[in-house]
Amino acid sequence: MRHFLTLRDLSGKEILNLVNKGLRIKKFQRLYSNRLKNKTMLMFFEKPSLRTRVSFEVAMNQMSGSALYYDLMGSPLTKGKETIEDTAKVISRYCDFLTARVYEHDELKKLASNSTIPVINALSNSDHPCQAIGDLMTIKEKFGKLKGLTLAYYGDGDGNVTHSLMHACSKVGINIYIFCPKQFMPKESFIKESIRFAKENNSKVVIENKPRKIKTDIVYTDTWMSYHINPREKNKRVKIFKSYQINKNLLGDALFMHCLPAQRGYEVTNEVMDGKQSIIFDQAHNRLFSAKSIILWCLR
Ligand code: CP
Ligand code: NVA
């Protein structure tokens, strides 16, 4: 079995396999309908979720397994009555997978090192690897390839989605440009790693602070108000990020992607969200098939 915590741990080839498997599952869904008979996934989320929670639960059900949503508010863990290590050991005795959305990535690592079952990162403050696999699937579906394409990301560079996209793109040879304010740069470790991965794949990682329109295949953004950000920071952040908003002009003739949830009128205009170049709902749809691909990968 394998944990799925960060794309840092996967080779480019493994990432491509996950993407291709997701596409295959989408095409031949029935072939996978019995793959998880008698398998149970426990899911717990410290933050809200629509796509990740529902897609993983449906993925388990459609493959004849089951998913159990565990409300942390009623857990000894949240009440401070039990350690995360002991929690992981107990869950391992009942279930076959643990999917967790937590604040601190280190908490995930603790879960993984104390589990005898695969732990899947459903988003931590630093990484969102499940999203990036679904995104690559969508890009491959739209362009028929990955290597050699260019993706331009505008907005909060210091985020889970940005970090995992940097890993994903650099490992499969997609050029990635990040346009973000100085105060919201990706973490240094992610910058260094992805530059190294990109070199190995003849692609580029470029980080700039001033937003500008470039010739690109894909324009991508994420919310300026991630789940873990204090709502009181909204006004301050809107002022900083304002010029990174994706509008028709910045989009040019690229396709538009967003991990969702989106704050319409902030990081992206309604016109772009609902326009012909927007592939956001195909992107959300593919979270289901990439979830299946990830679950099966963990079992190997
Ligand atoms: N994109 C994504 O992970 O969405 P949720 O927060 O709804 O799961
Ligand atoms: N960066 C966002 C992604 C949501 C799927 C957040 O952490 O809230």
Side-chain angles (χ1 to χ4, degrees):
M1 67 98 179
R2 308 184 266 207
H3 301 299
F4 188 75
L5 303 186
T6 167
L7 294 185
R8 177 182 297 116
D9 300 339
L10 276 73
S11 67
K13 196 164 170 225
E14 278 177 300
I15 292 176
L16 288 176
N17 285 344
L18 272 169
V19 170
N20 292 334
K21 180 83 169 258
L23 291 166
R24 209 160 46 244
I25 292 171
K26 186 171 184 177
K27 205 165 164 192
F28 303 108
Q29 288 200 62
R30 286 197 171 183
L31 288 182
Y32 297 86
S33 61
N34 275 319
R35 289 294 294 276
L36 295 180
K37 217 170 175 162
N38 298 323
K39 302 262 185 234
T40 307
M41 172 179 283
L42 188 95
M43 308 179 65
F44 67 66
F45 286 69
E46 287 180 344
K47 301 183 230 181
S49 174
L50 169 65
R51 282 142 289 269
T52 311
R53 181 179 164 184
V54 178
S55 62
F56 270 92
E57 197 161 331
V58 172
M60 286 301 294
N61 291 338
Q62 289 187 350
M63 293 195 287
S64 301
S66 60
L68 186 65
Y69 182 75
Y70 182 53
D71 182 3
L72 281 177
M73 289 319 287
S75 71
L77 175 66
T78 300
K79 302 265 182 246
K81 304 278 185 199
E82 191 159 31
T83 65
I84 195 152
E85 289 86 355
D86 291 350
T87 305
K89 285 175 187 158
V90 173
I91 294 171
S92 297
R93 300 291 179 112
Y94 300 139
C95 300
D96 303 285
F97 304 94
L98 169 60
T99 295
R101 173 168 284 194
V102 299
Y103 286 93
E104 299 304 330
H105 196 80
D106 282 348
E107 296 295 293
L108 267 179
K109 287 191 190 164
K110 282 187 203 159
L111 283 171
S113 56
N114 288 282
S115 289
T116 54
I117 58 171
V119 175
I120 297 173
N121 179 3
L123 178 144
S124 63
N125 283 5
S126 65
D127 296 65
H128 198 1
C130 295
Q131 180 68 47
I133 297 297
D135 292 346
L136 290 186
M137 237 189 101
T138 311
I139 295 172
K140 177 123 191 233
E141 210 168 44
K142 300 293 172 190
F143 292 91
K145 62 173 188 173
L146 295 172
K147 206 171 175 55
L149 295 175
T150 299
L151 181 151
Y153 176 96
Y154 296 84
D156 187 358
D158 182 17
N160 36 35
V161 168
T162 325
H163 288 155
S164 289
L165 263 181
M166 288 167 75
H167 276 156
C169 290
S170 61
K171 287 198 176 209
V172 303
I174 296 179
N175 302 306
I176 180 165
Y177 287 73
I178 311 273
F179 295 96
C180 62
K182 262 200 183 75
Q183 332 56 323
F184 296 101
M185 296 272 282
K187 296 259 178 297
E188 196 57 39
S189 57
F190 285 87
I191 299 179
K192 281 194 181 136
E193 285 162 0
S194 48
I195 289 178
R196 178 161 51 84
F197 300 144
K199 266 196 191 134
E200 291 164 11
N201 292 299
N202 293 322
S203 63
K204 278 192 286 197
V205 176
V206 181
I207 301 176
E208 293 183 18
N209 297 126
K210 245 185 135 143
R212 64 180 177 96
K213 186 172 174 174
I214 61 162
K215 194 173 159 18
T216 181
D217 300 294
I218 301 138
V219 163
Y220 198 121
T221 190
D222 183 10
T223 178
W224 300 338
M225 288 297 296
S226 279
Y227 293 126
H228 59 279
I229 305 292
N230 188 326
R232 278 188 301 218
E233 295 201 10
K234 184 160 181 175
N235 290 342
K236 194 180 96 195
R237 291 175 72 96
V238 169
K239 268 196 205 131
I240 297 173
F241 285 114
K242 219 168 48 210
S243 57
Y244 297 81
Q245 185 191 59
I246 312 298
N247 53 36
K248 231 179 133 194
N249 174 45
L250 195 57
L251 182 64
D253 55 8
L255 293 187
F256 173 67
M257 295 180 77
H258 191 312
C259 55
L260 304 180
Q263 300 229 297
R264 287 169 174 259
Y266 289 91
E267 72 271 16
V268 56
T269 60
N270 274 325
E271 194 182 17
V272 168
M273 281 285 281
D274 301 325
K276 281 206 175 72
Q277 291 152 253
S278 170
I279 54 170
I280 54 175
F281 296 113
D282 291 334
Q283 189 183 353
H285 188 189
N286 282 334
R287 291 293 308 274
L288 175 61
F289 311 105
S290 54
K292 291 183 181 181
S293 176
I294 292 164
I295 297 166
L296 295 175
W297 179 88
C298 286
L299 268 188
R300 289 249 195 92

